[in-house]
Amino acid sequence: MSESLRAVSLLFLERDDQILLAMKKRGFGAGRWNGVGGKPEPGEDIRTTAVRETQEEIGVTPIDFTEVGELHFYFPEEKKDWNQLVRVFMCSKWEGEPTESEEMAPEWYEKSHLPYDEMWADDEMWLPEVLAGNYVEATFYFEENENMVKRHTLTSRPLA
């Protein structure tokens, strides 16, 4: 577990009682609803990554966003390059309208009716904590078929 994890951003737009999810159309996580994000370009900090990825994936520029979580994901040895440290952000102010791209198809959902059965298995464990206004830290382990095998830790605390 001491190997370095790939840095990744994950950002969710929120308005009133809704959150924007996007259906991943290709690549890692294809066929699942999630926030938008990805890995940094060389020399790019994770907040800048969150902005750039949101622009690329749904055509929106985040203006006011807050870090709300740190998630550690571990995959089997043959997929260890998928291991990642995800910084999660919630965004309440942005420019532009969410628009479908070649990679993502955005859709608004009521926070109380999220499609957890079409999301990563871990989302149902940590996302409700974030939506309740908490900062989460968690570690999850997955099998080669991308099924979650265990949650190692999950802690949450109110956002300051």
Side-chain angles (χ1 to χ4, degrees):
M1 253 35 85
S2 60
E3 73 272 6
S4 65
L5 299 177
R6 177 175 56 172
V8 176
S9 67
L10 181 62
L11 184 138
F12 296 91
L13 301 183
E14 64 177 335
R15 65 178 187 199
D16 303 318
D17 291 331
Q18 295 183 317
I19 185 172
L20 186 87
L21 299 178
M23 174 57 72
K24 183 78 185 251
K25 295 163 55 176
R26 65 178 188 201
F28 183 75
R32 291 191 173 105
W33 291 104
N34 205 347
V36 295
K39 55 186 184 260
E41 298 289 339
E44 187 177 60
D45 69 64
I46 202 66
R47 291 183 67 85
T48 303
T49 300
V51 171
R52 178 184 50 77
E53 289 282 348
T54 304
Q55 291 169 331
E56 292 174 1
E57 293 181 350
I58 61 169
V60 166
T61 301
I63 303 297
D64 184 16
F65 60 104
T66 303
E67 184 174 334
V68 295
E70 179 180 304
L71 308 174
H72 301 247
F73 293 105
Y74 293 96
F75 291 86
E77 183 64 27
E78 61 274 11
K79 293 184 177 181
K80 70 179 180 182
D81 57 329
W82 289 7
N83 293 350
Q84 44 194 280
L85 167 57
V86 178
R87 299 287 181 173
V88 182
F89 300 94
M90 293 300 289
C91 178
S92 59
K93 186 177 179 186
W94 59 89
E95 291 178 349
E97 279 301 313
T99 306
E100 185 169 349
S101 68
E102 290 182 10
E103 188 173 355
M104 304 292 265
E107 189 171 320
W108 288 102
Y109 281 91
E110 295 295 322
K111 291 178 182 178
S112 59
H113 293 90
L114 298 181
Y116 287 115
D117 57 337
E118 298 177 62
M119 298 170 74
W120 285 93
D122 59 276
D123 291 347
E124 195 167 12
M125 297 177 183
W126 64 266
L127 190 51
E129 289 293 323
V130 166
L131 296 177
N134 294 314
Y135 186 96
V136 298
E137 294 178 55
T139 302
F140 300 99
Y141 297 88
F142 288 83
E143 297 174 315
E144 47 288 319
N145 60 4
E146 300 177 23
N147 287 330
M148 188 174 62
V149 288
K150 72 176 181 173
R151 176 186 77 202
H152 181 65
T153 60
L154 174 68
T155 59
S156 70
R157 64 182 185 274
L159 283 172

